[in-house]
Amino acid sequence: MKHIVVLTGAGMSAESGLKTFRDADGLWEGHDVMEVATPKGFAANPELVLEFYNQRRRQLFEVTPNSAHFGLAELEKNYKVTIVTQNVDDLHERAGSKNVIHLHGELLKARNIVDEFSVIDCKTDIKLGDTCPKGHQLRPHIVWFGEAVPMIDTAVDVCMTADILLIIGTSMQVYPAASLMHYVPEHTPTFFIDPKPAIESKHNLTVIAETATVGMKRFIESLD
């Protein structure tokens, strides 16, 4: 059974109604990224940061997976599929995908501020004063800028076993995630789905200049 490795980004969830965090002006929902997505920002104003992610978490319960999410799940009937996502939502899982690696953390999980491995499920707001059993303040299980990406080595290992690489809804400009496509075996067929691709088709690389939902249909048709 061939192994399809899928790298997904914000464009994957955009058609479900989830905004991409970062706007064209570089702000995240009206906030400077340094305020809401760095350890320094959390130390300076933890209430602001907690509420920022509380709002993102609430929004997540208002949306559902789109046809691209379901298309990836369907591929598991005939292929081994591993998804490496930069997204912090759970739409891949809700669509039925079984093997999902979250590089940048998960909105529906939390951890305390002392131990990055103290991860627990979290489907409600996190407030200042909410603590783990050891008394440490809880924070979102999100990899902030300046923090290590604990799942990157696992993702690299997965990419090294790819028979087909599929990239959806990510510009592949954010590192270390952007480096992953360079770890697939040489000559691996690669498909890049993005409505405004910054690269062109070439040997072993097929660019599908479409949204995630339309692009997934074309990708699936190409496998027949």
Side-chain angles (χ1 to χ4, degrees), residues 12-220:
M12 184 78 197
S13 299
E15 290 173 270
S16 288
L18 282 182
K19 296 179 183 177
T20 56
F21 280 5
R22 193 194 297 255
D23 297 322
D25 57 9
L27 297 179
W28 282 28
E29 302 288 339
H31 296 284
D32 184 282
V33 65
M34 300 303 290
E35 291 181 343
V36 295
T38 64
K40 186 177 180 180
F42 183 71
N45 194 340
E47 287 183 289
L48 171 69
V49 175
L50 291 175
E51 181 55 24
F52 176 84
Y53 290 99
N54 288 341
Q55 291 177 11
R56 309 282 80 71
R57 193 180 301 105
R58 291 178 212 136
Q59 185 191 22
L60 186 52
F61 291 116
E62 299 172 356
V63 300
T64 56
N66 60 54
S67 62
H69 291 106
F70 287 113
L72 287 178
E74 280 288 305
L75 286 176
E76 293 187 15
K77 292 179 178 179
N78 298 305
Y79 299 87
K80 177 183 178 182
V81 180
T82 306
I83 298 171
V84 179
T85 185
Q86 298 174 61
N87 299 337
V88 295
D89 60 63
D90 66 336
L91 296 181
H92 283 304
E93 288 90 343
R94 274 198 257 166
S97 290
K98 300 293 192 297
N99 303 307
V100 185
I101 298 168
H102 286 269
L103 287 180
H104 296 161
E106 299 177 64
L107 270 177
L108 298 184
K109 292 186 178 179
R111 65 182 196 244
N112 69 47
I113 59 174
V114 175
D115 181 6
E116 65 178 292
F117 299 107
S118 61
V119 181
I120 59 172
D121 290 335
C122 177
K123 297 185 178 181
T124 58
D125 287 359
I126 303 174
K127 302 291 187 182
L128 200 60
D130 290 345
T131 60
C132 72
K134 294 183 178 180
H136 303 303
Q137 172 66 42
L138 292 177
R139 54 159 281 184
H141 179 48
I142 301 293
V143 178
W144 288 328
F145 289 97
E147 294 184 322
V149 181
M151 296 302 293
I152 193 67
D153 289 340
T154 301
V156 166
D157 290 343
V158 165
C159 286
M160 293 174 70
T161 67
D163 295 306
I164 299 171
L165 178 66
L166 173 61
I167 304 169
I168 311 176
T170 172
S171 63
M172 298 305 290
Q173 301 297 315
V174 178
Y175 284 83
S179 66
L180 291 174
M181 64 185 297
H182 302 301
Y183 287 97
V184 300
E186 192 175 3
H187 308 306
T188 298
T190 299
F191 297 81
F192 185 88
I193 299 173
D194 193 278
K196 297 180 180 179
I199 57 177
E200 297 180 353
S201 294
K202 55 185 178 181
H203 184 59
N204 289 331
L205 172 63
T206 302
V207 175
I208 303 174
E210 300 285 358
T211 61
T213 54
V214 176
M216 265 302 296
K217 289 179 182 177
R218 288 184 51 183
F219 171 73
I220 291 172

